[in-house]
Each structure stands twice: as C-alpha cells, then as structure tokens.
Amino acid sequence: MDEQDTAAILHGDVLSDTAEEPQLDVNKEEPGVPSTDVVRPPVTCSLPVSVEPVLFLSMFSLALQAPLSTQYLWDRISEDLGYNGSKRSECGNSSAPPDPLQKEVETLTAHWNLYISLGGFSVGLLVVPLLGSWSDLAGRRRVLILPNLGLALQTIVYLVVMYLKLPVVYFLVGRLLSGLSGDFNAVLAGCFAYVADISDRRSRTFRVAILEACLGLSGMLASIIGGQWRRAQGYINPFWLVLATNLVSALYAFLFVRESVVPDPSAKLLTTRHHKAVWHLYSSGGSSSEAGGQFHRCKLWLYTLCFFLVVTVHFGSRELYVLYELSSPLCWGPDFIGYGSAAHHLGYLSSLAGIKIMQRCMEDSWVALVGLASNIVGLVVFSVANSTQLMFTGYGLCLLFMTSTPVLRSKLSKLVEPSEQGALFASVACVESLCYLVGSGVFNSLYPATLHFMKGFPFLLAAIILFIPAGIIGTLQCLEQRRDQRDATVS
C-alpha cells in the first residue's frame, strides 16, 4: 500500500486503481465506497484534508463583511445627507415624531442593500450553474479557488471605496465582480458537491450536516468579532481580515484539497453545454431517472420545493429575531441579543449531534421530520413570547431545527449521478439565494403590516408553512417504503 492509498483511507475514502473502472451506481447502497474516482494533483499536500475549512473561512468572511458593509452604507449616506443622529434601538414609549431625515437614511440604506443583493444574485444566477456543471468535468478545486479570489476582489473594491470615500455605487461594482466569479454560492456548490463525491450514501447526510454546522459556527464567530471590532477600530481593519480570510481560503483549497473527480483537460467553461446539463437535470430528472421514470423526476422537484420552503422560513424568521427582541415587551439590550444569537447558532451543533444519534434508529426522512417539528414548535412559542424566559424556551425548542436541510441536500444528491453533482448543487445554491431574497422581502414586509393585531404573526405563519415540506417528506417516505415492500414481495 503506497502513501496515496494510505492518505485516502485516512480521509475516509477508497481510491480506484484505474480511471477506466465503471462508475458506481448511486442507487446502490455500498458503504465506504465514494461516488467517483479520487486523484491527487502534484501540487497538493498528502495530508488527509477535506473542504470544511474552505467553507468555514468563506462563510466567516461573508458573515463578517455583510453587517459591516450595511453599517458603512448607513454612515456614508448619513454623512452625505447631513444627518448627525443615530438610529434609536432603545425600547421605550417616545412621543417625539419620527425624524424625516432618519427615515430617508433608512430608506436609502435599505434600497442600496437591495440593489447590491439583486446585482450579485442576477449575475450569480447565470454564473453559478455554469461553474457547477463545469466542475463535474474540470474538477472541484477550481470552483473552490475562483470564487474566493472573486470575493477577495470585491473586498479590495470595498477597501478602496472606504479609503478614498468614493460614492457607494462602487459597492455594487465590487459585488458584480464577485458575482462574475460565482460569489459565495459557487463555494457552497463546490463544497457540497465535493462531499457528495467522497462520501457513500449512508454517511452522506452526516457529512453534509458537518458543512451546515461550519456555516453556523463561522457565522456566530464573525458576528461576535465584527461588532466589537468595528466599535473599537472602525470599518477598515475588519475588512482587511475579510480580505485575508478569502485569500487563505483560496490558498488552502489550492495547496491541501485533493481533487475528487478525474479532471477532463478538454473541458471548456464558456459553453452552453453546462446550462443545458442543469436544464436536463430538472426537465428529465437527470441521467439516473431512466430507472425511476416519472416518480424519480417528481421527487427531484418535490425535494427542491421542500428545500426552498424550509430555507425561506429560516432566512425570513432570522431577519426578525433582533427586531422582535429590541421592541416591547421584551426590550432586550445588546447582552441579551448576543445571548439569543448564540442560542440560535447553537442549533447548528445540536442538530449535528441529533442527526448522528437519530440515524442509528430511523431513516433520514424521519430525522428531517423531527427537525421540522422542532422548528415548528419553537416558532409557535416565538409568536406568543412576551417574556425573556419564553423567548429562550423557543430557542431551546429549536435546537434541532437544522436537521432538515442536510437531509434534503443528501436526498437530492442521491437522486442524480456522480457526474451531475456539481450541476445539482449549483442549482441548489441558486435556490438558496432566491430563498434569501424571498424570505427577507416577505417577512420584513409582513412584520410591520401585522403589528396591529399580532406582533408574532410572521413566526406563526412560518410554522404553518413548514407543514407543507413535512407533509411532502412524510408522504414520499411512505411511498418509497411501500414500493420497497412490494418489490421485496415480488422478488
């Protein structure tokens, strides 16, 4: 056994002796066997490493940058308009009329945030499927390196704007440049596709859950660091850390991450073939749908719908937590808001442990239903929370809320061939971006519109929406069990 085989076994993978062996059937249950051949380019390190650090570092930079850029927009627009006040966050009954200048600052900041988000989303909608499908042929490492370099370029533009006090429209320019390289969604697609490549069907859900936990932990760490650092040293120094983090993530992917597919040197990036591959995936169910027919394609669409609804609720409700806690009757200060954010992010770790435990005694679909039940009960408690104790009770009940999304990603991955993982997860990443836009827009509009009859109504609506994916997942699992029983009886 040579050094390459030893490193692969330590990594949890099995190497193929030749590239000419037939591809594995993803519909067969073969624990310990990866979906694709694993090769190591000559520039990579021999250590057994994976992509979790890439996703952690990329998410850290994004979570550190996003709130700081919004606060910078607020300060720059306030300076341009001559507004010297501060946005009030204290809880109290003030009879003073609202400051019209403050309202204008709030409106312009919200609009610029929307323009920047839409600019990145519209470009990424074209680029991310292209890169994801291309990675099925050219390899995953390139799709891990290129978007991080684009994010670093965006940060450089932001730093130039801050140093030279350029108009805030240049933030949009930086976002578009990042979108042309795939943005963070391409990193997501590459990391999840990589894990699908190197994991077998039995362990895939847990490996995906580890990546989800990386997202939560890095987001929590960045939230803690960013606010304190900005208060102490302003905006520029934290953005230098954002730049360094993106470059380190790209360097790590280049030096340490082994390739998970056999690269095709003749694979071209700028071709319509990649978008056609994504279209084929959802129009016909992909290459593996030949065995499952119409039911296979329906499952692909239904699980994607479930993912859309669940993630939209996650993003939408998360946008309201701080606003709900700041106002009466909770009237939380910064300390309690920090504790609440920590309790929310703790759900990523507890969900990871929950998946590991529950997989020993139940199918993945039932694990997802337990997670949805946890989320539903917690949201119902949030909708009526009028005390600190009740609010933290809701956070406690939501400790398994992140078990559903890893299961859905894993189920989608198992529905397609190894050669289609990149196209699939690129599509899922685009859906996730759409979830953020829809969730943020709907729930932020719904909250002020329902204050007069029920302050927590958006949380209650979110809980009701989650019954839809719960019903779909439960129904599909029952149908699959009946079909398996019928096939076993016939055989």
Side-chain angles (χ1 to χ4, degrees), residues 253-292:
F254 177 74
L255 293 178
F256 297 105
V257 176
R258 299 196 304 271
E259 188 54 81
S260 61
V261 299
V262 179
D264 180 4
S266 63
K268 296 181 180 180
L269 174 60
L270 300 178
T271 173
T272 58
R273 172 184 178 181
H274 303 309
H275 285 105
K276 289 179 179 178
V278 176
W279 171 254
H280 173 71
L281 197 65
Y282 281 92
S283 62
S284 63
S287 301
S288 62
S289 65
E290 297 175 0

Side-chain angles (χ1 to χ4, degrees), residues 60 64 68 224-242:
F60 178 86
L64 183 61
L68 291 178
I224 294 172
I225 292 175
Q228 299 297 327
W229 199 356
R230 189 205 69 82
R231 186 180 303 173
Q233 296 186 346
Y235 295 101
I236 291 179
N237 287 340
F239 269 88
W240 278 111
L241 178 61
V242 172

Side-chain angles (χ1 to χ4, degrees), residues 12-13 33-35 194-201 203-205 207:
D13 307 326
V33 180
S35 300
Y194 187 96
V195 164
D197 291 337
I198 66 173
S199 61
D200 58 83
R201 291 171 60 87
S203 65
R204 189 168 303 168
T205 299
R207 291 298 303 269

Side-chain angles (χ1 to χ4, degrees), residues 263-318:
D264 180 4
S266 63
K268 296 181 180 180
L269 174 60
L270 300 178
T271 173
T272 58
R273 172 184 178 181
H274 303 309
H275 285 105
K276 289 179 179 178
V278 176
W279 171 254
H280 173 71
L281 197 65
Y282 281 92
S283 62
S284 63
S287 301
S288 62
S289 65
E290 297 175 0
Q294 185 74 18
F295 182 61
H296 184 98
R297 184 168 66 252
C298 288
K299 285 198 297 182
L300 193 65
W301 277 102
L302 288 173
Y303 281 133
T304 303
L305 173 62
C306 291
F307 183 84
F308 172 80
L309 293 174
V310 171
V311 177
T312 298
V313 165
H314 286 175
F315 281 135
S317 57
R318 188 181 66 184

Side-chain angles (χ1 to χ4, degrees), residues 128 185 188-190 192-194 196 204 208 281 409-410 412-413 420-430:
V128 174
N185 289 327
L188 275 179
F192 282 112
Y194 187 96
R204 189 168 303 168
V208 169
L281 197 65
R409 290 186 199 268
S410 177
L412 286 168
S413 174
E420 298 171 322
Q421 297 292 334
L424 171 72
F425 282 108
S427 304
V428 172
C430 291

Side-chain angles (χ1 to χ4, degrees), residues 395-448:
Y395 281 124
L397 292 171
C398 279
L399 282 179
L400 295 176
F401 82 105
M402 281 302 298
T403 60
S404 54
T405 49
V407 170
L408 289 170
R409 290 186 199 268
S410 177
K411 283 189 170 293
L412 286 168
S413 174
K414 294 172 185 177
L415 289 172
V416 302
E417 295 286 349
S419 61
E420 298 171 322
Q421 297 292 334
L424 171 72
F425 282 108
S427 304
V428 172
C430 291
V431 170
E432 200 162 355
S433 290
L434 182 62
C435 292
Y436 175 77
L437 292 177
V438 173
S440 179
V442 170
F443 282 84
N444 277 302
S445 301
L446 191 63
Y447 182 76

Side-chain angles (χ1 to χ4, degrees), residues 101-375:
L101 202 55
Q102 176 180 310
K103 186 175 181 181
E104 185 176 359
V105 171
E106 289 178 329
T107 302
L108 286 175
T109 303
H111 284 173
W112 274 113
N113 262 335
L114 178 62
Y115 301 152
I116 293 170
S117 297
L118 286 177
F121 173 75
S122 58
V123 175
L125 195 61
L126 297 174
V127 176
V128 174
L130 184 73
L131 290 174
S133 181
W134 178 61
S135 73
D136 289 327
L137 302 173
R140 310 292 184 207
R141 293 172 68 246
R142 301 181 185 184
V143 182
L144 298 177
I145 296 169
L146 183 62
N148 274 298
L149 295 178
L151 288 168
L153 180 60
Q154 172 186 309
T155 307
I156 291 173
V157 173
Y158 282 18
L159 283 169
V160 171
V161 171
M162 293 176 187
Y163 273 113
L164 302 181
K165 290 188 176 294
L166 298 177
V168 294
V169 68
Y170 286 101
F171 270 24
L172 177 59
V173 174
R175 191 75 170 83
L176 292 174
L177 290 175
S178 176
L180 288 173
S181 67
D183 204 54
F184 179 70
N185 289 327
V187 179
L188 275 179
C191 288
F192 282 112
Y194 187 96
V195 164
D197 291 337
I198 66 173
S199 61
D200 58 83
R201 291 171 60 87
R202 191 179 302 278
S203 65
R204 189 168 303 168
T205 299
F206 185 69
R207 291 298 303 269
V208 169
I210 292 176
L211 289 179
E212 298 270 10
C214 289
L215 293 174
L217 287 177
S218 57
M220 178 174 62
L221 183 62
S223 299
I224 294 172
I225 292 175
Q228 299 297 327
W229 199 356
R230 189 205 69 82
R231 186 180 303 173
Q233 296 186 346
Y235 295 101
I236 291 179
N237 287 340
F239 269 88
W240 278 111
L241 178 61
V242 172
L243 175 61
T245 306
N246 288 133
L247 293 177
V248 169
S249 180
L251 186 64
Y252 175 90
F254 177 74
L255 293 178
F256 297 105
V257 176
R258 299 196 304 271
E259 188 54 81
S260 61
V261 299
V262 179
D264 180 4
S266 63
K268 296 181 180 180
L269 174 60
L270 300 178
T271 173
T272 58
R273 172 184 178 181
H274 303 309
H275 285 105
K276 289 179 179 178
V278 176
W279 171 254
H280 173 71
L281 197 65
Y282 281 92
S283 62
S284 63
S287 301
S288 62
S289 65
E290 297 175 0
Q294 185 74 18
F295 182 61
H296 184 98
R297 184 168 66 252
C298 288
K299 285 198 297 182
L300 193 65
W301 277 102
L302 288 173
Y303 281 133
T304 303
L305 173 62
C306 291
F307 183 84
F308 172 80
L309 293 174
V310 171
V311 177
T312 298
V313 165
H314 286 175
F315 281 135
S317 57
R318 188 181 66 184
E319 292 275 317
L320 300 182
Y321 286 141
V322 174
L323 188 59
Y324 191 79
E325 292 160 356
L326 280 170
S327 57
S328 177
L330 295 178
C331 302
W332 282 8
D335 292 340
F336 274 104
I337 290 176
Y339 299 148
S341 177
H344 175 72
H345 285 91
L346 185 62
Y348 287 85
L349 280 181
S350 56
S351 297
L352 178 64
I355 288 176
K356 187 65 174 178
I357 295 171
M358 288 187 289
Q359 277 189 322
R360 297 179 178 179
C361 57
M362 62 179 70
E363 296 287 339
D364 282 354
S365 294
W366 306 127
V367 173
L369 290 178
V370 171
L372 289 173
S374 170
N375 204 354

